[in-house]
Amino acid sequence: AQRVTQPEKLLSVFKGAPVELKCNYSYSGSPELFWYVQYSRQRLQLLLRHISRESIKGFTADLNKGETSFHLKKPFAQEEDSAMYYCALRDSSYKLIFGSGTRLLVRP
Amino acid sequence: DAGVIQSPRHEVTEMGQEVTLRCKPISGHNSLFWYRQTMMRGLELLIYFNNNVPIDDSGMPEDRFSAKMPNASFSTLKIQPSEPRDSAVYFCASSPQDYGYTFGSGTRLTVV
């Protein structure tokens, strides 16, 4: 079954600390993975996708097929990074399957 | 491009009333998705359309929910009759075939 798991509901770090938001997936085919961010009471915004191998706002994510993971990382967290982060997998029918989300709280 | 446009932004209605949520996707996007977001259940896909045709409505919770896409630039999600447990934020998203979704700002529905 297709599934995206984000084991942490809340991750709290201090400003300047490294951040890693965990995401594991279950998918029988070749996955296409995304990270979305939702700032307080706003729309979900695409943060990055694994195909692009890009860094957005200092965040990166590497697809590890062996561990079926797509963890989101940032070396130095900023207060403005506080938001909900959703990992998502797109299946062959182009549906996006979302994880339950992790709330990142960056304390000053 | 104004992005995906949803209306209304907020809706408060009484239990039993009909509610209609509206969405205008980005021009040229051939897929449209309706999601529901709650604290308890997170983001749930309700239904999605491809080229205006409903492809998968398995996420629609009950017969009280229905969705239409009469043309490429408009979709509606209707709840009739509404119940308090339908209170949530409803997001519409559109996508071209080979990219991620663009989400609308959502409609915050409160059924009292």
Side-chain angles (χ1 to χ4, degrees):
Chain A
Q2 304 157 21
R3 177 179 289 180
V4 177
T5 303
Q6 294 180 250
E8 302 144 325
K9 286 197 170 183
L10 172 67
L11 182 63
S12 180
V13 301
F14 286 103
K15 177 183 172 181
V19 170
E20 182 178 65
L21 301 170
K22 292 183 166 48
C23 172
N24 288 91
Y25 66 90
S26 173
Y27 185 60
S28 57
S30 189
E32 189 173 0
L33 289 151
F34 302 80
W35 276 99
Y36 280 80
V37 59
Q38 186 179 29
Y39 300 102
S40 180
R41 291 184 171 248
Q42 294 187 23
R43 71 182 72 195
L44 281 88
Q45 303 172 41
L46 178 63
L47 183 60
L48 52 80
R49 55 178 189 155
H50 89 272
I51 291 177
S52 304
R53 299 187 62 81
E54 56 203 341
S55 173
I56 304 293
K57 299 184 179 183
F59 285 97
T60 59
D62 290 317
L63 177 61
N64 185 323
K65 291 187 178 180
E67 295 182 359
T68 60
S69 68
F70 188 56
H71 302 327
L72 183 69
K73 300 178 183 180
K74 185 169 183 177
F76 307 104
Q78 303 298 316
E79 289 180 67
E80 55 265 29
D81 296 328
S82 295
M84 279 292 291
Y85 290 81
Y86 291 94
C87 182
L89 177 152
R90 187 158 73 179
D91 68 11
S92 57
S93 65
Y94 297 100
K95 285 192 304 187
L96 265 184
I97 300 163
F98 285 89
S100 54
T102 298
R103 180 170 298 281
L104 174 63
L105 178 61
V106 182
R107 300 177 183 274
Chain B
D1 191 342
V4 176
I5 300 172
Q6 289 186 248
S7 64
R9 290 294 303 273
H10 303 276
E11 176 80 37
V12 181
T13 190
E14 290 185 346
M15 181 174 63
Q17 297 298 306
E18 177 180 293
V19 175
T20 300
L21 311 181
R22 297 173 177 78
C23 175
K24 180 180 179 353
I26 291 174
S27 176
H29 284 192
N30 59 348
S31 296
L32 183 140
F33 307 81
W34 283 100
Y35 280 84
R36 178 170 68 177
Q37 185 181 42
T38 60
M39 290 288 289
M40 291 297 294
R41 301 169 72 93
L43 277 161
E44 303 173 278
L45 176 64
L46 300 177
I47 185 171
Y48 83 95
F49 297 84
N50 194 41
N51 294 322
N52 312 338
V53 176
I55 302 299
D56 184 350
D57 65 354
S58 59
M60 297 284 262
E62 299 171 34
D63 291 345
R64 299 184 296 107
F65 286 70
S66 62
K68 293 182 180 179
M69 192 165 186
N71 56 62
S73 59
F74 184 65
S75 176
T76 58
L77 177 68
K78 186 177 291 186
I79 308 173
Q80 165 64 21
S82 57
E83 297 182 3
R85 60 194 168 116
D86 302 331
S87 298
V89 181
Y90 291 81
F91 284 103
C92 175
S94 70
S95 170
Q97 194 89 351
D98 57 351
Y99 201 69
Y101 298 3
T102 300
F103 280 82
S105 298
T107 294
R108 184 173 296 275
L109 173 65
T110 303
V111 183
V112 298

